[in-house]
Amino acid sequence: MKVGKGHMVYLVFILSLLIVSCTPKKEVVQQVQVIKCEQGKPVTGYFSVAKDTPMKEKPSHKSKTKINAKATELLGKADYRILDGDYRLKSFCETEKWVYAMIVKIDEADVQGEFGWIPKSAIKDLSQQAPPKNRKAEDKFDCYEKGIKYYKSIGSYPRLSTGESAEQITELKCSRTIGAFDTGLLQ
């Protein structure tokens, strides 16, 4: 069978589209972080904190305070993540004196979520209440948890049969749609 020049151009175009649409974007893959309780035990809840509460990189007062990247960029100098009562956080892990949490709201504005350690002594208003209305960051994390659980259940973790990283593929799928691993779609 002979393939004409017009057909060849069409095939190259289709292949290009497939390659572009199936190639994971590096910046998208880096948006979701894995939450593993390497220290402490899993816990869930929502809370606010006392004024002037530093968000730490590790569960220790001697640990570095997290840097507020956006403020640092705007100010041109290091600005540290110091929380107050206007922040709402979701907890994931806890030790005897610390909670690992994600910021979900600042001044009633939904945010993508930054993770860090908060001293338990600074926590107030701890509750199991439903999350804020716009759950974008939390939904993405929930999607990620479902995806990893799914790949583990079918024996494709940490690498898929294609050799791709299950974590990266999960991050990519969840960045496209938070329902990527809902049980109805997996059957």
Side-chain angles (χ1 to χ4, degrees):
M1 175 173 130
K2 286 190 171 183
V3 178
K5 196 173 189 178
H7 289 109
M8 186 60 87
V9 170
Y10 180 72
L11 285 172
V12 169
F13 176 73
I14 295 297
L15 284 172
S16 299
L17 283 177
L18 284 172
I19 290 169
V20 169
S21 66
C22 294
T23 303
K25 305 272 187 279
K26 192 171 190 174
E27 65 274 4
V28 172
V29 171
Q30 294 174 346
Q31 288 179 351
V32 177
Q33 294 184 2
V34 179
I35 304 299
K36 297 177 185 171
C37 289
E38 294 175 10
Q39 295 182 32
K41 62 181 181 178
V43 64
T44 58
Y46 298 87
F47 62 92
S48 57
V49 295
K51 186 176 178 162
D52 298 327
T53 300
M55 178 178 260
K56 298 290 193 168
E57 291 181 3
K58 297 180 181 176
S60 166
H61 289 291
K62 294 179 182 179
S63 172
K64 292 181 181 178
T65 300
K66 300 272 295 198
I67 290 183
N68 181 338
K70 288 182 182 178
T72 296
E73 184 179 332
L74 288 171
L75 298 172
K77 64 177 186 163
D79 186 72
Y80 296 92
R81 180 61 76 190
I82 306 297
L83 312 179
D84 60 36
D86 293 330
Y87 286 75
R88 191 82 176 146
L89 296 99
K90 178 179 181 181
S91 57
F92 292 99
C93 307
E94 72 174 344
T95 65
E96 185 180 333
K97 297 181 180 182
W98 293 84
V99 173
Y100 189 68
M102 173 179 68
I103 299 171
V104 294
K105 272 190 178 288
I106 302 173
D107 292 324
E108 296 304 315
D110 297 325
V111 295
Q112 283 293 320
E114 183 175 347
F115 297 88
W117 288 95
I118 308 295
K120 281 187 175 179
S121 59
I123 293 175
K124 59 182 191 175
D125 305 326
L126 182 62
S127 73
Q128 296 295 324
Q129 291 179 0
K133 287 182 183 178
N134 183 350
R135 297 184 42 183
K136 188 173 182 176
E138 293 173 64
D139 286 344
K140 191 180 285 184
F141 174 76
D142 291 342
C143 175
Y144 185 85
E145 281 185 320
K146 289 176 188 176
I148 295 302
K149 185 176 179 181
Y150 169 71
Y151 285 125
K152 284 181 178 180
S153 74
I154 63 169
S156 293
Y157 185 86
R159 294 267 173 216
L160 305 180
S161 60
T162 60
E164 297 171 289
S165 163
E167 289 182 359
Q168 287 183 340
I169 296 301
T170 300
E171 290 172 7
L172 180 63
K173 287 183 176 187
C174 291
S175 71
R176 291 180 180 159
T177 176
I178 58 172
F181 294 98
D182 287 348
T183 51
L185 299 174
L186 296 176
Q187 298 172 351

